[in-house]
Amino acid sequence: MSYSRVTHHASMVFDTYRNERYAAAIAKTVHADSVVLDLGAGLGLHGLLAAAAGAARVYLVEPQPVVHTARDAARAGGLDGQVVVLQDRIEDATLPEPVDLIVSVFTGNLLFSEDLLPSLFHARDKYLKPGGKMLPDRAELRLAPLCAPALHAKHITRWAEPIMGLDYSKAKRFAANDVLWLRRPEFVGTQRLGAGGIVSDLDLTTATSADCSGEVRCTVDTAGLCHGLLAWTRIRLVDEWISTDPDAPDVHWSPVILPIDPPLALQQGEEVTMTLKRPAYGDWTWSISAGAGSRRHSTFLASAEGARELAKMAPTSSPGLSDDGRRAMRVLQLLAEGLSNRTIAETLVKTEAMNPALALQEVQAIAKRYGGKT
């Protein structure tokens, strides 16, 4: 997801339950000499809370320009003397000093899904003082077998039904291999068939791997059809945990269903085995095994890309450049030579017979992503 607009951060800024617990944890951790890094600061809320709690200096590090909104909030709150805004990736930023505390929300949805953990580990290893603190400092990812007939019918089964007289049943397999990001009210009427357990437990102060690979075995408490694996996370803020469990207080992060299709019948008292894997920057793969059989799914299979497209990504592939790729490389070369966006667009109009407005739009998009700082 992009966080390039201020409104993209609304759900986080107005997540009162989560932010109150971050504020309480910050207040317990910060002292008058504290230097704090708010990593992936967004609008800088947690960093500004650290400044309000008395931190000597707070670095707000965020690659999106929305972070400059924090300057106005800091000034309005009389905190601007304590706050330093750095619009950059943490890997490219330079902090002038080590920090006592790293505050982040880099555990995100489903802990691994946004691939933010490598940046968190980088910041910790490069900038956190010996004995420094992290908020959160621990994170768990949990699984449980779930009976959810209405949700399965809504998101999976309906693909097998005629749509205005047309047959889209072949698309059902794509839906069955995709993650369902849901809100808590949607879980009304679902039932956990077993308590489940922890599939991944990370000590964020020492962890080095951003790969997810784990197994959970649990006893079935209630017989029924398993329509998916319920997945949720917990993070620790000093002495309190925040959870995305559907039964926990609402936060903007989502509980998740990993679909099982066809549903698998589970018997009371039997032991089931659930697995969940995802290499860093890769696809989710999940499975369940029980007396009635086993199921295995992967988000890799949710993509409609054909074998020809996927072959381009193979480590041994040498796909060359498409016409679009060749044109993008030309734009980058002209940007490097110092030509203006308009001049480059005019060049594309002449050499590629492009529509002037579309040519300028394409150049501007490349300049925004890859252009140097002005």
Side-chain angles (χ1 to χ4, degrees):
M1 175 181 179
S2 169
Y3 296 101
S4 60
R5 295 181 181 272
V6 169
T7 51
H8 294 164
H9 296 259
S11 63
M12 295 170 276
V13 170
F14 298 112
D15 188 342
T16 302
Y17 181 85
R18 182 197 72 162
N19 293 334
E20 286 179 345
R21 275 133 194 89
Y22 263 88
I26 288 168
K28 292 175 183 176
T29 309
V30 165
H31 50 77
D33 297 324
S34 293
V35 179
V36 178
L37 166 60
D38 184 354
L39 180 62
L43 302 189
L45 177 64
H46 294 155
L48 296 181
L49 290 173
R57 274 174 307 287
V58 178
Y59 295 95
L60 308 180
V61 178
E62 164 64 46
Q64 298 293 343
V66 295
V67 71
H68 296 292
T69 306
R71 280 204 178 99
D72 297 328
R75 190 176 300 112
L79 304 172
D80 46 321
Q82 300 158 258
V83 174
V84 178
V85 174
L86 298 173
Q87 186 195 334
D88 218 335
R89 298 169 64 248
I90 187 61
E91 291 83 355
D92 301 323
T94 300
L95 272 62
E97 58 186 326
V99 302
D100 301 285
L101 172 65
I102 296 177
V103 182
S104 80
V105 291
F106 274 16
T107 45
N109 278 309
L110 213 55
L111 187 53
F112 300 92
S113 63
E114 296 180 72
D115 289 305
L116 299 173
L117 291 178
S119 296
L120 178 60
F121 300 158
H122 172 86
R124 177 199 65 198
D125 295 343
K126 187 171 183 178
Y127 292 114
L128 189 63
K129 293 178 182 177
K133 305 295 183 181
M134 299 178 69
L135 294 176
D137 65 349
R138 190 165 180 177
E140 297 175 350
L141 177 54
R142 294 178 169 239
L143 295 179
L146 187 72
C147 180
L151 288 174
H152 193 274
K154 177 181 178 181
H155 294 282
I156 311 298
T157 309
R158 68 188 307 183
W159 286 100
E161 301 168 356
I163 303 171
M164 301 183 72
L166 302 174
D167 182 358
Y168 278 89
S169 60
K170 295 295 184 182
K172 180 171 175 260
R173 63 185 179 91
F174 298 115
N177 284 285
D178 215 353
V179 176
L180 298 180
W181 306 92
L182 304 172
R183 304 309 304 171
R184 280 166 175 73
E186 296 178 86
F187 284 86
V188 173
T190 66
Q191 182 181 19
R192 288 176 225 204
L193 302 178
I198 300 172
V199 72
S200 182
D201 186 355
L202 291 183
D203 180 346
L204 298 175
T205 66
T206 59
T208 57
S209 174
D211 296 336
C212 175
S213 181
E215 177 181 291
V216 175
R217 295 184 181 184
C218 78
T219 300
V220 176
D221 298 322
T222 305
L225 283 178
C226 177
H227 298 91
L229 307 184
L230 171 64
W232 72 100
T233 58
R234 298 173 76 229
I235 60 171
R236 187 172 69 183
L237 301 172
V238 184
D239 54 2
E240 187 167 5
W241 291 80
I242 295 178
S243 176
T244 63
D245 187 316
D247 294 335
D250 193 21
V251 291
H252 80 279
W253 291 312
S254 302
V256 159
I257 292 179
L258 306 171
I260 297 298
D261 188 65
L264 187 63
L266 304 184
Q267 302 302 317
Q268 184 177 14
E270 74 168 313
E271 184 179 76
V272 298
T273 301
M274 299 169 287
T275 68
L276 184 61
K277 296 182 179 181
R278 183 185 184 273
Y281 309 101
D283 285 283
W284 289 103
T285 300
W286 60 96
S287 70
I288 182 170
S289 298
S294 62
R295 304 283 187 270
R296 185 175 182 273
H297 296 266
S298 175
T299 54
F300 180 80
L301 300 175
S303 172
E305 292 178 324
R308 185 175 179 181
E309 292 298 311
L310 293 173
K312 297 176 184 178
M313 301 167 59
T316 56
S317 175
S318 301
L321 288 176
S322 65
D323 288 343
D324 289 345
R326 177 186 51 77
R327 189 167 62 245
M329 185 172 70
R330 178 59 177 155
V331 171
L332 289 170
Q333 289 171 338
L334 295 175
L335 285 172
E337 292 173 12
L339 275 66
S340 71
N341 293 340
R342 185 175 300 280
T343 299
I344 298 172
E346 291 171 350
T347 300
L348 293 184
V349 171
K350 294 176 182 177
T351 61
E352 305 284 340
M354 290 185 70
N355 174 281
L358 292 179
L360 182 58
Q361 185 180 56
E362 182 169 324
V363 173
Q364 288 172 328
I366 294 173
K368 181 180 179 181
R369 182 168 185 180
Y370 299 108
K373 298 176 182 177
T374 58

